[in-house]
Amino acid sequence: MSNWLLPESLADILPAEARRIEELRRNLLDLYRTYGFELVAPPLVEYLESLQAVSGTDLNLRTSKVVDQISGRTMGVRADMTPQVARIDAHLLNREGVTRLCYCGSVLHARPAGLLSDRELLQIGAEIFGHAGVESDLEVIQLALASVGRAGVHHPRLDLNYPGLGRFLIERDPVLKPRAAEVCDLLNAKDVSGIHALGRESGCLPESTRYLLALTSLYGGADVLERARGLLPDAPEVREALGSLRTLIDALPGHEITVDLADIGSGYGYHSGLVFSVYAEGWHDALVRGGRFDGIGRLYGRARPATGFSLDLRKLSAGLPPAQAARAVRAPWGNQPDLIEALKRLRQSGEIVIQMLPGQEPSLDEFVIDRELVLLDGQWQLRAL
């Protein structure tokens, strides 16, 4: 095997793309700061018990394991940063009231999430802890849309769903509750015949089958909510879910919004209320995923309401137009005081200045050299090429 080959679904990032990803990172973190979010930076690895805050989920299957050479305990390489940020909020900051935190760092998946997915992601996100109302859900959605807008994504589509609604319909039937995972798979696939078969075979309540079948048809525009009121039970849980979705849609005029009430299996399994995704033309999968994850901090000793979102900067960058090369100045090699001072002034003014090493011509992807620094009449001056 060649020493330069990388493991499957891992890739190097070359200069122009790496620069754009870094510019996106700085731009988005600056955006989050204007909303009052504080930056945190958790470690890449932790003890496995700490990373796997929610057992039995896709998150745990995607966590790579290593052995700590010091303690002998099993550690995990993070596959998602949300549990880490929840730990920081619950155990280290331990504040009263609302806390806004943002983050950016690499995460590693033991297996790619899909055929076109990478195993290493550069995850950036923002989360609000300590507020249970729809207002904080609205803030993170607005910030998620602002994030893709700041990156240059045009005409994003916001997809809303409420997994707790489907889970409520499952758990209210004692026959279906032990088979929740199977029912969730049928709903996610909108498998009408499968739901009919499950209803006949399981002996569940006839109304349960009717409600589950109704969910498979409840997707589309905002009119889905009105149809849902007539098809689903008139229960407090249903009214709360539909009311929250209506509040969000009304607060986001001018955005393309879809609703899918049968989609109850997205994310890593820790979401407890509203869940959303942002899609755009040019990307095969969701650009942003987020939602409410109340109580995830319970493992760390302090359950708090929480909502937030994250996205992969590498995926975001890959769908944007090719990065443009930057203008640069060519300068001769030398250590004369006047030349060094001229180079210093140009760089302090923001210019990119590349000194030509003796006998070498640079091979550049990142820069277009359109000017040179030359000595004219005893003064170092810029000349167009």
Side-chain angles (χ1 to χ4, degrees):
M1 181 180 292
S2 300
N3 291 335
W4 54 268
L5 291 177
L6 293 175
E8 186 176 348
S9 300
L10 295 173
D12 293 309
I13 302 177
L14 300 182
E17 190 71 7
R19 172 175 58 86
R20 179 163 59 186
I21 291 172
E22 174 60 15
E23 289 173 350
L24 284 171
R25 184 191 70 84
R26 296 179 189 178
N27 201 344
L28 294 186
L29 289 178
D30 287 344
L31 172 66
Y32 302 160
R33 186 172 178 82
T34 67
Y35 279 69
F37 285 78
E38 301 172 273
L39 181 64
V40 293
L44 180 63
V45 296
E46 293 191 34
Y47 290 128
L48 193 60
E49 300 85 350
S50 177
L51 281 181
Q52 296 188 340
V54 184
S55 60
T57 66
D58 287 346
L59 174 60
N60 296 349
L61 296 176
R62 293 181 190 174
T63 302
S64 301
K65 285 81 174 178
V66 296
V67 176
D68 182 8
Q69 296 292 315
I70 297 177
S71 68
R73 294 174 58 183
T74 302
M75 298 193 301
V77 182
R78 66 187 179 206
D80 178 40
M81 294 179 72
T82 291
Q84 295 184 297
V85 180
R87 172 182 56 76
I88 290 173
D89 171 73
H91 185 63
L92 297 179
L93 295 178
N94 199 26
R95 296 171 179 168
E96 297 296 331
V98 172
T99 299
R100 291 176 172 85
L101 299 176
C102 62
Y103 56 86
C104 185
S106 292
V107 300
L108 178 69
H109 290 176
R111 293 180 178 273
L115 291 176
L116 301 177
S117 300
D118 292 325
R119 291 168 59 191
E120 183 184 4
L121 289 67
L122 183 56
Q123 188 180 52
I124 189 169
E127 294 167 358
I128 300 176
F129 296 88
H131 189 272
V134 70
E135 297 85 358
S136 51
D137 293 315
L138 176 60
E139 180 173 326
V140 298
I141 290 174
Q142 290 172 327
L143 187 54
L145 291 170
S147 297
V148 296
R150 181 72 69 93
V153 176
H154 301 293
H155 310 300
R157 174 174 61 85
L158 177 65
D159 184 67
L160 301 174
N161 56 72
Y162 207 104
L165 185 56
R167 293 180 188 136
F168 163 71
L169 297 176
I170 295 169
E171 293 174 0
R172 70 196 298 268
D173 190 322
V175 174
L176 292 181
K177 188 174 181 179
R179 305 177 67 168
E182 179 184 356
V183 180
C184 288
D185 288 340
L186 293 172
L187 286 173
N188 286 328
K190 296 181 175 58
D191 187 347
V192 172
S193 61
I195 293 173
H196 275 298
L198 177 67
R200 292 191 301 268
E201 175 268 328
S202 67
C204 67
L205 298 172
E207 64 182 36
S208 295
T209 303
R210 185 170 73 252
Y211 293 145
L212 294 177
L213 289 171
L215 279 185
T216 65
S217 68
L218 292 173
Y219 61 91
D223 63 298
V224 164
L225 303 183
E226 292 308 314
R227 291 195 285 121
R229 293 184 191 279
L231 295 174
L232 300 179
D234 185 21
E237 293 84 353
V238 176
R239 291 194 297 271
E240 178 186 358
L242 298 180
S244 296
L245 290 169
R246 170 54 64 187
T247 299
L248 289 170
I249 291 173
D250 291 345
L252 295 165
H255 292 284
E256 183 183 355
I257 300 176
T258 58
V259 178
D260 187 354
L261 296 183
D263 184 3
I264 64 174
S266 59
Y268 284 128
Y270 48 61
H271 288 109
S272 60
L274 172 90
V275 174
F276 67 91
S277 303
V278 178
Y279 295 86
E281 185 177 352
W283 287 267
H284 71 277
D285 196 5
L287 270 178
V288 183
R289 295 190 187 275
R292 183 157 289 278
F293 51 98
D294 296 343
I296 194 175
R298 184 176 295 108
L299 179 70
Y300 311 113
R302 191 177 183 225
R304 295 240 284 166
T307 183
F309 71 88
S310 66
L311 60 93
D312 176 16
L313 285 177
R314 296 172 68 157
K315 180 200 292 186
L316 174 61
S317 178
L320 296 172
Q324 298 300 308
R327 298 172 62 226
V329 175
R330 182 175 66 194
W333 179 254
N335 57 4
Q336 307 97 305
D338 57 343
L339 174 58
I340 293 173
E341 183 61 29
L343 295 173
K344 180 180 178 181
R345 286 197 306 269
L346 286 171
R347 287 167 176 156
Q348 286 178 340
S349 69
E351 294 283 1
I352 298 168
V353 184
I354 303 171
Q355 277 191 286
M356 300 292 104
L357 295 171
Q360 298 290 321
E361 285 292 330
S363 178
L364 303 172
D365 296 323
E366 268 279 77
F367 310 111
V368 173
I369 296 176
D370 62 351
R371 290 155 296 159
E372 64 177 347
L373 185 64
V374 295
L375 187 63
L376 296 174
D377 300 325
Q379 299 290 326
W380 289 103
Q381 301 178 36
L382 290 181
R383 181 171 64 186
L385 292 176

